[in-house]
mmCIF file of all heavy atoms in Angstrom:
data_model
loop_
_atom_site.group_PDB
_atom_site.id
_atom_site.type_symbol
_atom_site.label_atom_id
_atom_site.label_comp_id
_atom_site.label_asym_id
_atom_site.label_seq_id
_atom_site.Cartn_x
_atom_site.Cartn_y
_atom_site.Cartn_z
ATOM 1 N N LEU A 43 -245.279 -115.600 131.344
ATOM 2 C CA LEU A 43 -244.299 -114.640 130.811
ATOM 3 C C LEU A 43 -243.741 -113.798 131.957
ATOM 4 O O LEU A 43 -244.460 -113.502 132.913
ATOM 5 C CB LEU A 43 -244.981 -113.686 129.831
ATOM 6 C CG LEU A 43 -245.006 -114.018 128.352
ATOM 7 C CD1 LEU A 43 -245.727 -112.912 127.584
ATOM 8 C CD2 LEU A 43 -243.596 -114.203 127.779
ATOM 9 N N PRO A 44 -242.494 -113.409 131.855
ATOM 10 C CA PRO A 44 -241.972 -112.426 132.822
ATOM 11 C C PRO A 44 -242.826 -111.149 132.767
ATOM 12 O O PRO A 44 -243.318 -110.777 131.690
ATOM 13 C CB PRO A 44 -240.552 -112.148 132.301
ATOM 14 C CG PRO A 44 -240.188 -113.354 131.489
ATOM 15 C CD PRO A 44 -241.464 -113.847 130.900
ATOM 16 N N SER A 45 -242.985 -110.504 133.910
ATOM 17 C CA SER A 45 -243.858 -109.311 133.978
ATOM 18 C C SER A 45 -243.519 -108.284 132.915
ATOM 19 O O SER A 45 -244.408 -107.682 132.301
ATOM 20 C CB SER A 45 -243.724 -108.629 135.331
ATOM 21 O OG SER A 45 -244.005 -109.507 136.348
ATOM 22 N N VAL A 46 -242.222 -108.083 132.699
ATOM 23 C CA VAL A 46 -241.797 -107.012 131.800
ATOM 24 C C VAL A 46 -242.322 -107.236 130.379
ATOM 25 O O VAL A 46 -242.454 -106.293 129.597
ATOM 26 C CB VAL A 46 -240.264 -106.858 131.832
ATOM 27 C CG1 VAL A 46 -239.573 -108.078 131.233
ATOM 28 C CG2 VAL A 46 -239.825 -105.595 131.099
ATOM 29 N N LEU A 47 -242.619 -108.464 130.056
ATOM 30 C CA LEU A 47 -243.125 -108.762 128.705
ATOM 31 C C LEU A 47 -244.642 -108.732 128.632
ATOM 32 O O LEU A 47 -245.219 -108.938 127.573
ATOM 33 C CB LEU A 47 -242.607 -110.134 128.244
ATOM 34 C CG LEU A 47 -241.087 -110.254 128.059
ATOM 35 C CD1 LEU A 47 -240.708 -111.668 127.647
ATOM 36 C CD2 LEU A 47 -240.584 -109.250 127.016
ATOM 37 N N LYS A 48 -245.265 -108.461 129.763
ATOM 38 C CA LYS A 48 -246.727 -108.490 129.758
ATOM 39 C C LYS A 48 -247.354 -107.158 129.412
ATOM 40 O O LYS A 48 -248.545 -107.091 129.143
ATOM 41 C CB LYS A 48 -247.242 -108.943 131.131
ATOM 42 C CG LYS A 48 -247.001 -110.411 131.420
ATOM 43 C CD LYS A 48 -247.698 -110.787 132.714
ATOM 44 C CE LYS A 48 -247.218 -112.102 133.263
ATOM 45 N NZ LYS A 48 -247.722 -112.325 134.624
ATOM 46 N N GLY A 49 -246.559 -106.096 129.461
ATOM 47 C CA GLY A 49 -247.131 -104.790 129.172
ATOM 48 C C GLY A 49 -246.186 -103.979 128.308
ATOM 49 O O GLY A 49 -245.238 -104.537 127.741
ATOM 50 N N PRO A 50 -246.435 -102.673 128.183
ATOM 51 C CA PRO A 50 -245.521 -101.828 127.404
ATOM 52 C C PRO A 50 -244.139 -101.794 128.067
ATOM 53 O O PRO A 50 -244.043 -101.848 129.292
ATOM 54 C CB PRO A 50 -246.158 -100.442 127.468
ATOM 55 C CG PRO A 50 -247.486 -100.604 128.107
ATOM 56 C CD PRO A 50 -247.536 -101.916 128.779
ATOM 57 N N PHE A 51 -243.120 -101.775 127.257
ATOM 58 C CA PHE A 51 -241.758 -101.730 127.804
ATOM 59 C C PHE A 51 -240.939 -100.725 127.003
ATOM 60 O O PHE A 51 -241.327 -100.285 125.918
ATOM 61 C CB PHE A 51 -241.103 -103.107 127.738
ATOM 62 C CG PHE A 51 -240.951 -103.616 126.338
ATOM 63 C CD1 PHE A 51 -239.848 -103.244 125.557
ATOM 64 C CD2 PHE A 51 -241.907 -104.453 125.776
ATOM 65 C CE1 PHE A 51 -239.723 -103.703 124.266
ATOM 66 C CE2 PHE A 51 -241.780 -104.906 124.471
ATOM 67 C CZ PHE A 51 -240.688 -104.530 123.712
ATOM 68 N N THR A 52 -239.815 -100.379 127.579
ATOM 69 C CA THR A 52 -238.867 -99.574 126.834
ATOM 70 C C THR A 52 -237.493 -100.198 127.010
ATOM 71 O O THR A 52 -237.302 -101.059 127.867
ATOM 72 C CB THR A 52 -238.897 -98.110 127.312
ATOM 73 O OG1 THR A 52 -238.060 -97.331 126.461
ATOM 74 C CG2 THR A 52 -238.367 -97.993 128.748
ATOM 75 N N ILE A 53 -236.548 -99.808 126.169
ATOM 76 C CA ILE A 53 -235.215 -100.402 126.225
ATOM 77 C C ILE A 53 -234.267 -99.450 126.949
ATOM 78 O O ILE A 53 -234.217 -98.261 126.629
ATOM 79 C CB ILE A 53 -234.662 -100.628 124.802
ATOM 80 C CG1 ILE A 53 -235.558 -101.570 124.008
ATOM 81 C CG2 ILE A 53 -233.209 -101.103 124.856
ATOM 82 C CD1 ILE A 53 -235.266 -103.017 124.156
ATOM 83 N N VAL A 54 -233.545 -99.956 127.910
ATOM 84 C CA VAL A 54 -232.524 -99.154 128.585
ATOM 85 C C VAL A 54 -231.159 -99.730 128.232
ATOM 86 O O VAL A 54 -230.903 -100.912 128.479
ATOM 87 C CB VAL A 54 -232.734 -99.177 130.109
ATOM 88 C CG1 VAL A 54 -231.591 -98.450 130.810
ATOM 89 C CG2 VAL A 54 -234.082 -98.566 130.468
ATOM 90 N N ASP A 55 -230.326 -98.911 127.639
ATOM 91 C CA ASP A 55 -228.993 -99.375 127.274
ATOM 92 C C ASP A 55 -228.051 -99.306 128.466
ATOM 93 O O ASP A 55 -228.134 -98.377 129.276
ATOM 94 C CB ASP A 55 -228.418 -98.514 126.143
ATOM 95 C CG ASP A 55 -229.063 -98.861 124.806
ATOM 96 O OD1 ASP A 55 -229.573 -99.998 124.675
ATOM 97 O OD2 ASP A 55 -229.053 -98.003 123.900
ATOM 98 N N GLY A 56 -227.166 -100.260 128.538
ATOM 99 C CA GLY A 56 -226.149 -100.283 129.569
ATOM 100 C C GLY A 56 -224.928 -99.490 129.120
ATOM 101 O O GLY A 56 -224.982 -98.754 128.127
ATOM 102 N N PRO A 57 -223.818 -99.621 129.843
ATOM 103 C CA PRO A 57 -222.590 -98.941 129.437
ATOM 104 C C PRO A 57 -221.991 -99.595 128.194
ATOM 105 O O PRO A 57 -222.360 -100.713 127.828
ATOM 106 C CB PRO A 57 -221.674 -99.134 130.652
ATOM 107 C CG PRO A 57 -222.183 -100.366 131.321
ATOM 108 C CD PRO A 57 -223.651 -100.438 131.046
#
Side-chain angles (χ1 to χ4, degrees):
Chain A
L43 268 181
S45 304
V46 67
L47 295 178
K48 289 187 195 170
F51 62 84
T52 186
I53 300 272
V54 175
D55 285 336

